[in-house]
Amino acid sequence: MDALITEFAARYPFNLDEFQLEAIRELANHRSVLVAAPTGTGKTVVAEFAVFMAVREGLRAFYTTPIKALSNQKFRDFRDQYGAEPVGLMTGDIVENPDGQIVVMTTEVLRNMLLQTPEELEKVGIVVFDEIHYLADPERGTTWEEAIICLPKHIQLVCLSATVSNAAELAEWISRVHRPISLIFHNERAVPLEHYYFHKGKLEKFLTADGRVVRTFPGVGGEYRRRDRSGKPSPEPTPVEVLTSLRSAGTRPATYFLFSRRATEEAAEGAAQRSFFPTRGARRQVEEVVADYLGRLAPEDRRLAQVVKLTGCLDRGVAFHHAGLLPLLKVMVEELFNAGLLGAVFATDTLALGINMPAKTVVIGEFTKYDGESRRILTPNEYQQMTGRAGRRGMDEQGYSVILYSPWVAFEEVLEVATAPLYPVESAFRVRYNTILNLWLRAGSDRQPVKRIEWLLDSSFRQFQLERQLRVLEEELAEVTDRSQQTRRARRLAREIDRLPIWQNQAMLRSAIRTLRQFGYVQAHYVTDKGMMLADIFDPNGLIIVEALYNGHLDRLEPLELAEVLSWFAFDRDTYFFNRLSLPPHLRQLRRDLDRLQRQVIAAEERNGLVLTPGFTPRFWGVVLAWGQGEPLSTLVDRTGLPEGDLILAINKTLDLMRQVRDMVQHSLALMPAIGPSLLSSLQTADATLRRGILEQSLRAMDPRPAEPHVIGAAG
């Protein structure tokens, strides 16, 4: 064991920290570990040891991440370490060497494998869950819980998490539903972080790296929110002011966080009034990299508004980065920033979620964000997630967080967030049709398949947390009941116990099964043909898609028309946009038919107390059809008002949904002999037609596999 650890440690140019060694020793003794530590402290070294150990023992290792960008990054890392032959990648749209000894994948891929082909994990010895605190994510958290619950018990787990206040509770749950897991908690940053307040053109330190408050600003900030409107607000800092101060203080490069795409672009353009290159030679190097990337685009794509805007900013040493940016441009910005060639990147907080772009300084450009319902102050977890990117290990002795004065947020509120304890991770688990059907099918001839599904729900982290809350409240109630004078408090505790949704999972399961029975997906104790089809569709709109397919709505469509219809379910941004694209009459009628079908599904769910199917976005149509017919991206931007990156992302999501439907049809050919072959042919033809121009170039940019020499085809 010691020899194995020594051999592994010798691979690194630095000494391993004690928390890393503690976790590695646990793994070497064949115990699972949950490592909770701040961003940038080297948690992944523990996971890399687990992979190293699996390879030495002749076992397979699966490394899972929450997003494709992280999977691609780890795939490249492992190829550098082990060569191409043993390393695979599975992200849905890319399947490379799936039988490799080391396979990197998104968590969704692992979860789907566990539900449909669990025998593929027989020779797996290690599974890594990177960024496991994602199980609190409302959209994806269920995937993480299902994967952990369904994993075979012989597999060692390596769970990597940001520091969270209830890491011990998370470890206790994993120990209950999988196998005992050792918690390794480390709360010391790799690079100390100091906190500054930017007010009236000055950087003022208010919180030291060891948590001491050294300055306060009574009555400063939040003037517009005071009832008496007391205090005269100061001018809000501009990006140029902030970056100029950082340059003078020697605290660049900086990541400057804002919470809307438009805000990041406007701030970057504002900063580009001046030059902020970090060195004299940086401009020439940036020009070379930009020329290389733009050379991959067709001439008309180089004239896209987003391309012109970004290159204008890069010419001044700054950039912007957000989810609506063209994938090719994202990769370019990340390459330039990581090479130390930019003074600042203006980014939305999605940049803080896993992408490896550390900076010396993090600027919190806004201290409030819209969460879909209201505008609110940042949480301590959000603040720490973003400031975790400040301070580059091995490069900076100190990291810096800079919070800007705002007439909407009082300094006292800033200080409270910066010093508050982190919120606990709370389960976002919910019932899904796809999970129910796959578990039902795995139950085989079992006459009580619902028992297997109930087992999954009872094992969820949500149920674990609810039962713990119930025990605490019941113990407190028993204690209070012994003191007759505490009757008011006893009544309050009793009401809290009654309000706990302890049986909500079971109620949702019964409601989901009622809905599935209503539409003919399950009958008596078995899954119907339609149910087997839906088990292969992991999209949240799967029920509508299978209904449309089963009822013949998609039978006589041309390949691009089929892709167009599926694209209606691929755009999920809740944002206003106009749409001047048109559809032919028969597709307009089909959209009306699917709208009626969608309303039937959603109404049935509402009657059963469910909110599972989102439906398609009312104004999104025509994009994929126009793209497939050869329209340039600039035309789609002009006719919808949507950003270039959003349009490419929607087409890419359409390709992914087409892949799901293609896999489903392939598995169900015996159930649809009349239309199955033609559907497969149409989907393959549409896929090939859509992969052109800037979309194809963006897919290549996101593909971590070594690129072969190629020539970009038709302009797009």
Side-chain angles (χ1 to χ4, degrees):
M1 180 182 75
D2 290 341
L4 185 71
I5 295 173
T6 301
E7 181 186 356
F8 173 77
R11 297 157 62 97
Y12 294 87
F14 51 84
N15 293 327
L16 300 189
D17 292 337
E18 183 52 41
F19 87 92
Q20 293 168 328
L21 288 170
E22 183 183 355
I24 284 170
R25 284 191 286 267
E26 291 291 301
L27 286 170
N29 283 312
H30 299 287
R31 287 190 282 268
S32 295
V33 296
L34 166 60
V35 182
T39 300
T41 51
K43 296 188 290 289
T44 54
V45 169
V46 177
E48 287 167 4
F49 172 78
V51 172
F52 176 80
M53 183 176 69
V55 170
R56 283 290 186 272
E57 294 178 354
L59 297 171
R60 301 183 74 198
F62 284 0
Y63 193 111
T64 75
T65 75
I67 55 177
K68 292 179 182 179
L70 262 181
S71 290
N72 293 344
Q73 182 180 307
K74 293 308 300 181
F75 174 73
R76 285 189 290 263
D77 291 347
F78 285 130
R79 275 202 163 190
D80 290 343
Q81 294 176 43
Y82 296 96
E85 186 177 343
V87 183
L89 177 68
M90 299 176 71
T91 58
D93 54 339
I94 297 176
V95 178
E96 173 78 9
N97 192 18
D99 298 321
Q101 190 171 10
I102 305 164
V103 184
V104 183
M105 61 186 70
T106 54
T107 313
E108 282 85 356
V109 170
L110 175 64
R111 173 260 186 188
N112 298 348
M113 191 184 298
L114 286 163
L115 288 179
Q116 296 190 311
T117 55
E119 60 276 4
E120 292 187 38
L121 285 93
E122 287 178 1
K123 295 182 180 179
V124 175
I126 292 285
V127 168
V128 177
F129 288 99
D130 201 348
E131 310 275 357
I132 197 173
H133 51 277
Y134 252 76
L135 61 77
D137 183 84
E139 299 299 320
R140 305 188 206 179
T142 300
T143 297
W144 293 76
E145 293 195 40
E146 289 176 351
I148 291 168
I149 294 165
C150 294
L151 268 173
K153 302 294 191 288
H154 73 270
I155 295 174
Q156 271 182 276
L157 301 187
V158 181
C159 302
L160 308 180
S161 171
T163 43
V164 292
S165 61
N166 61 332
E169 181 183 41
L170 187 55
E172 186 181 342
W173 169 70
I174 295 172
S175 295
R176 175 186 289 189
V177 300
H178 189 255
R179 58 185 270 182
I181 192 167
S182 300
L183 172 62
I184 311 297
F185 189 84
H186 179 75
N187 60 4
E188 185 178 330
R189 287 177 50 96
V191 179
L193 180 70
E194 292 188 335
H195 308 252
Y196 285 73
Y197 191 57
F198 191 89
H199 181 231
K200 293 186 176 179
K202 292 182 180 179
L203 285 167
E204 304 276 3
K205 186 196 298 185
F206 70 90
L207 187 64
T208 64
D210 59 2
R212 289 183 298 111
V213 178
V214 293
R215 176 100 193 253
T216 60
F217 297 84
V220 174
E223 290 86 0
Y224 288 156
R225 286 172 51 227
R226 293 178 194 155
R227 289 184 178 179
D228 58 2
R229 295 283 172 144
S230 61
K232 183 179 179 182
S234 303
E236 295 189 59
T238 66
V240 167
E241 283 182 282
V242 176
L243 294 189
T244 301
S245 293
L246 295 182
R247 179 167 57 192
S248 300
T251 56
R252 293 180 304 156
T255 300
Y256 198 122
F257 284 114
L258 296 159
F259 301 116
S260 79
R261 299 172 182 185
R262 178 178 293 180
T264 63
E265 295 187 11
E266 290 176 349
E269 288 185 293
Q273 296 171 26
R274 297 187 188 175
S275 177
F276 288 103
F277 285 106
T279 63
R280 288 185 178 179
R283 180 192 293 273
R284 179 183 56 79
Q285 292 175 270
V286 168
E287 288 172 351
E288 290 174 357
V289 173
V290 170
D292 175 56
Y293 274 87
L294 295 190
R296 307 176 197 182
L297 299 178
E300 64 183 81
D301 290 330
R302 295 173 208 157
R303 296 191 293 271
L304 286 167
Q306 191 177 83
V307 175
V308 172
K309 187 183 294 186
L310 179 61
T311 52
C313 292
L314 289 171
D315 193 48
R316 308 293 279 173
V318 297
F320 52 86
H321 187 292
H322 55 65
L325 193 61
L326 285 164
L328 183 74
L329 301 184
K330 279 186 196 174
V331 173
M332 178 176 68
V333 169
E334 290 163 16
E335 180 181 324
L336 290 169
F337 192 73
N338 285 331
L341 299 177
L342 301 178
V345 168
F346 294 82
T348 55
D349 54 340
T350 53
L351 185 67
L353 301 175
I355 298 175
N356 186 26
M357 283 179 62
K360 190 169 190 174
T361 297
V362 161
V363 178
I364 310 297
E366 300 173 278
F367 218 74
T368 62
K369 68 181 294 188
Y370 182 71
D371 61 8
E373 295 181 2
S374 62
R375 181 159 286 277
R376 57 164 177 77
I377 300 287
L378 297 181
T379 67
N381 299 50
E382 290 166 338
Y383 178 70
Q384 189 168 113
Q385 182 78 43
M386 288 184 285
T387 57
R389 297 291 162 192
R392 298 162 296 176
R393 187 171 190 170
M395 296 178 66
D396 301 321
E397 293 184 2
Q398 191 78 46
Y400 302 90
S401 166
V402 176
I403 302 169
L404 308 187
Y405 159 84
S406 168
W408 297 99
V409 181
F411 172 78
E412 289 81 1
E413 294 172 302
V414 167
L415 182 61
E416 183 178 355
V417 170
T419 56
L422 295 173
Y423 293 168
V425 170
E426 293 186 355
S427 172
F429 187 87
R430 59 181 178 176
V431 173
R432 298 191 286 198
Y433 297 130
N434 176 272
T435 303
I436 293 170
L437 291 168
N438 274 291
L439 288 174
W440 203 309
L441 287 167
R442 298 297 301 178
S445 58
D446 189 342
R447 297 285 294 173
Q448 292 185 313
V450 176
K451 295 285 186 187
R452 182 176 175 83
I453 307 165
E454 288 176 340
W455 159 80
L456 179 77
L457 302 184
D458 290 341
S459 300
S460 69
F461 189 42
R462 174 179 174 78
Q463 194 67 25
F464 180 85
Q465 290 186 310
L466 286 170
E467 288 173 1
R468 168 168 282 192
Q469 291 176 44
L470 179 63
R471 285 196 303 274
V472 169
L473 288 171
E474 286 178 339
E475 289 169 5
E476 193 174 345
L477 179 60
E479 187 179 318
V480 168
T481 306
D482 291 339
R483 309 172 191 161
S484 56
Q485 70 273 22
Q486 300 269 4
T487 52
R488 182 180 297 176
R489 188 177 171 203
R491 285 196 296 270
R492 179 181 61 79
L493 289 169
R495 284 195 299 271
E496 286 186 38
I497 290 171
D498 289 340
R499 283 197 296 264
L500 268 184
I502 199 75
W503 304 111
Q504 188 178 53
N505 278 345
Q506 302 295 338
M508 287 180 66
L509 172 60
R510 289 192 294 272
S511 295
I513 292 175
R514 274 198 304 273
T515 306
L516 289 170
R517 288 191 190 281
Q518 180 178 335
F519 286 94
Y521 288 82
V522 292
Q523 289 181 4
H525 299 292
Y526 65 91
V527 176
T528 64
D529 291 351
K530 278 205 301 185
M532 286 189 273
M533 292 165 65
L534 183 53
D536 276 331
I537 301 292
F538 296 92
D539 189 88
N541 283 304
L543 187 56
I544 299 173
I545 293 167
V546 174
E547 281 294 296
L549 182 62
Y550 202 80
N551 292 324
H553 290 298
L554 312 183
D555 284 2
R556 290 178 293 278
L557 297 177
E558 295 296 320
L560 281 179
E561 293 173 344
L562 180 57
E564 165 64 23
V565 172
L566 291 176
S567 78
W568 301 341
F569 301 97
F571 185 84
D572 56 7
R573 280 206 74 208
D574 184 17
T575 185
Y576 174 78
F577 59 95
F578 57 84
N579 192 337
R580 300 194 187 105
L581 293 167
S582 60
L583 292 175
H586 67 287
L587 287 186
R588 290 202 299 272
Q589 180 58 50
L590 178 55
R591 191 173 173 95
R592 287 191 288 270
D593 293 341
L594 291 188
D595 184 56
R596 280 194 294 272
L597 173 60
Q598 175 172 286
R599 281 187 272 115
Q600 289 171 14
V601 170
I602 292 173
E605 289 184 347
E606 288 176 350
R607 286 194 298 273
N608 289 320
L610 294 173
V611 183
L612 297 181
T613 302
F616 52 69
T617 302
R619 289 178 300 277
F620 188 82
W621 66 76
V623 168
V624 165
L625 185 62
W627 176 257
Q629 292 171 340
E631 290 288 355
L633 188 61
S634 56
T635 298
L636 303 185
V637 172
D638 291 342
R639 293 183 183 174
T640 63
L642 287 167
E644 294 88 338
D646 276 355
L647 291 166
I648 291 296
L649 184 61
I651 301 171
N652 197 23
K653 283 187 174 180
T654 301
L655 290 172
D656 184 67
L657 186 51
M658 288 164 59
R659 177 190 56 79
Q660 289 185 47
V661 174
R662 190 167 61 242
D663 289 347
M664 179 268 289
V665 174
Q666 187 73 55
H667 295 160
S668 305
L669 275 176
L671 307 178
M672 49 177 70
I675 64 165
S678 63
L679 271 174
L680 281 178
S681 176
S682 292
L683 288 164
Q684 289 162 355
T685 300
D687 186 280
T689 304
L690 294 176
R691 292 177 184 271
R692 67 174 184 87
I694 196 168
L695 173 71
E696 178 67 9
Q697 188 57 57
S698 295
L699 292 172
R700 288 181 185 275
M702 295 185 293
D703 191 334
R705 296 170 293 187
E708 298 295 331
H710 62 277
V711 177
I712 299 302

